[in-house]
Amino acid sequence: MTPPVTSFRSQLPVKIAFGDGTIAELRDALAALDATSALVVVEEPVAEHAGVIAALAAAASAGVRLERVVKGPGEPTFALADELAARVRELGLESVVGIGGGSALDVAKAARIVADQGGAAGDYASGARVPQPPSIGLVLCPTTSGTGSEVSGASVLTDTERDRKIGFGHPDMRAQHALVDPELTYGLPAAPTAHSGVDAMAQAIGGCTVTNSSPLSVAFGLEACHHVTHSVREAVADGADTEARRRLSCASLTAGLAMNLSDCAADHALGQALGSVKHLPHGLTIGLVLAETLELTRADCADRLERVADALGEPHDGTTDGSRAVRAVQRILADVGFPTLREVGVTEDDLPALVASATGEQSYNLDVDCHTWTPAEVEQAFRAALSLEQR
């Protein structure tokens, strides 16, 4: 039965430019913001990319004063966000530019709001401070295809004092401009390509199934699923497959839009618990538990998962219980060589901490999931993932 259309609202005022070479539009984006200076947070793997260097040179030649910071490997921290914010304030910079994967974009978002409105990044994560419309501009340029961070108001940072990853967000943390250039993803190694692509797929599915989904999030989510299934295997197999890279970049962008018009589902609660407890990369953690969370929730959203299965290209088999979508996800995970929980070092000894994190500080995505989760079911999903020796 087709579900009824209920009332919904959306707010996503991000100007998007998508296509090969759009990093060259950085100068124009800064001009549109009336910014004559910028802190540029660029991730190390792309710091010397010819397109990035040319875009920064063009902005500088147009009179924009640039303060360039190369972000090294590792997850972004609250301390780094505060350090970057202090630099923006000290130098009187009018905008922030983030170029890189989700970690670079997330720390750029947090640094911008702290520089603009004071306090520390932890204040916004705790809710002690609520972002207001910022006066400092923000331009984001992703170099991976997965997080959708360029159109997101969310940031995931590591609290090194508590040794925990914490996600927080607000519509006023979003960028004004997102420049999505597939050429910046060419040559990304197979593992991060798989991790980010599967993260995009999870966000896309969540946009279709969570309790605050809408026709808009479903439309973007299904489109993202279609692009994922026609690109992620090819991009993992050949990082120079330009059409696969374009499709996967489009999948990431549309999945990010779906996520920001609704929310992520239970897989993100369990995945972020893995990131917090085991210090694993975000995209990897989501794929480690995606199929298992869907298996537990599919009875509550079978009709929506049937549409997901169609978008993922899974053949009809006479079932209508959502199991086709789970099999489609399992097939993609196997085809891209995704590891299992055991292969990344998770054991039964980790379960108490993982369950506590997923049902505690990471529980928001459980709360908006279509299924009402109990701690026992969270443990059940982790145990199901642990039962896999290989895919």
Side-chain angles (χ1 to χ4, degrees):
M1 182 179 69
T2 302
V5 176
T6 57
S7 300
F8 65 90
R9 291 175 173 80
S10 68
Q11 181 187 9
L12 201 68
V14 181
K15 295 180 180 178
I16 299 167
F18 175 92
D20 292 354
T22 52
I23 186 69
E25 297 180 28
L26 176 61
R27 175 182 60 187
D28 298 334
L30 291 171
L33 295 171
D34 293 324
T36 61
S37 58
L39 175 76
V40 179
V41 183
V42 58
E43 206 150 19
E44 194 170 46
V46 293
E48 302 306 319
H49 187 285
V52 172
I53 292 173
L56 295 179
S61 68
V64 180
R65 176 167 58 98
L66 300 177
E67 176 74 9
R68 184 170 175 267
V69 175
V70 177
K71 182 193 172 296
E75 296 299 304
T77 64
F78 284 93
L80 178 58
D82 292 339
E83 176 187 326
L84 295 175
R87 189 173 302 193
V88 171
R89 288 194 299 266
E90 289 165 5
L91 297 175
L93 303 177
E94 298 172 346
S95 62
V96 174
V97 176
I99 306 173
S103 64
L105 306 193
D106 281 7
V107 78
K109 279 185 278 191
R112 178 269 210 117
I113 209 70
V114 172
D116 188 77
Q117 297 170 23
D123 298 331
Y124 298 90
S126 68
R129 283 178 178 263
V130 177
Q132 303 299 316
S135 60
I136 293 177
L138 179 62
V139 182
L140 297 179
C141 313
T143 63
T144 62
S145 300
T147 67
S149 185
E150 67 274 12
V151 292
S152 161
S155 184
V156 179
L157 304 177
T158 297
D159 181 344
T160 52
E161 292 184 4
R162 294 197 296 148
D163 196 25
R164 286 289 183 268
K165 276 188 181 180
I166 299 174
F168 60 102
H170 189 276
D172 287 323
M173 287 178 61
R174 292 189 181 117
Q176 285 98 336
H177 292 265
L179 306 179
V180 185
D181 186 344
E183 290 183 351
L184 299 182
T185 71
Y186 292 0
L188 188 70
T193 298
H195 300 169
S196 56
V198 167
D199 185 23
M201 178 171 63
Q203 292 170 358
I205 295 171
C208 298
T209 63
V210 292
T211 57
N212 62 346
S213 67
S214 72
L216 295 178
S217 68
V218 171
F220 279 119
L222 294 176
E223 180 72 359
C225 285
H226 172 78
H227 285 299
V228 166
T229 200
H230 289 290
S231 63
V232 68
R233 298 173 179 89
E234 294 81 358
V236 168
D238 179 6
D241 185 329
T242 56
E243 182 56 27
R245 287 295 185 187
R246 290 188 195 103
R247 280 191 176 274
L248 196 55
S249 290
C250 188
S252 175
L253 172 62
T254 49
L257 291 168
M259 171 183 66
N260 282 280
L261 291 166
S262 57
D263 270 304
C264 296
D267 53 85
H268 270 64
L270 275 67
Q272 290 183 173
L274 282 164
S276 188
V277 174
K278 299 298 289 184
H279 307 293
L280 298 170
H282 176 76
L284 170 63
T285 67
I286 303 306
L288 291 171
V289 293
L290 177 57
E292 290 71 27
T293 54
L294 285 174
E295 179 62 29
L296 268 165
T297 62
R298 64 181 173 84
D300 298 275
C301 55
D303 56 337
R304 286 160 280 172
L305 286 179
E306 286 302 303
R307 298 181 69 187
V308 167
D310 290 341
L312 290 174
E314 187 68 12
H316 286 271
D317 59 5
T319 63
T320 58
D321 58 3
S323 58
R324 261 195 325 132
V326 179
R327 284 193 293 278
V329 168
Q330 291 169 331
R331 197 184 311 278
I332 289 172
L333 291 171
D335 288 348
V336 300
F338 218 88
T340 66
L341 275 185
R342 290 201 181 278
E343 288 173 331
V344 299
V346 179
T347 70
E348 284 82 358
D349 292 341
D350 296 310
L351 286 174
L354 290 172
V355 173
S357 179
T359 57
E361 58 194 8
Q362 308 293 351
S363 67
Y364 175 75
N365 295 117
L366 290 180
D367 297 337
V368 297
D369 194 82
C370 62
H371 179 73
T372 301
W373 285 77
T374 66
E377 287 174 320
V378 171
E379 181 175 340
Q380 180 183 344
F382 277 125
R383 286 192 180 278
L386 275 171
S387 70
L388 294 177
E389 295 295 337
Q390 61 181 20
R391 297 193 187 276

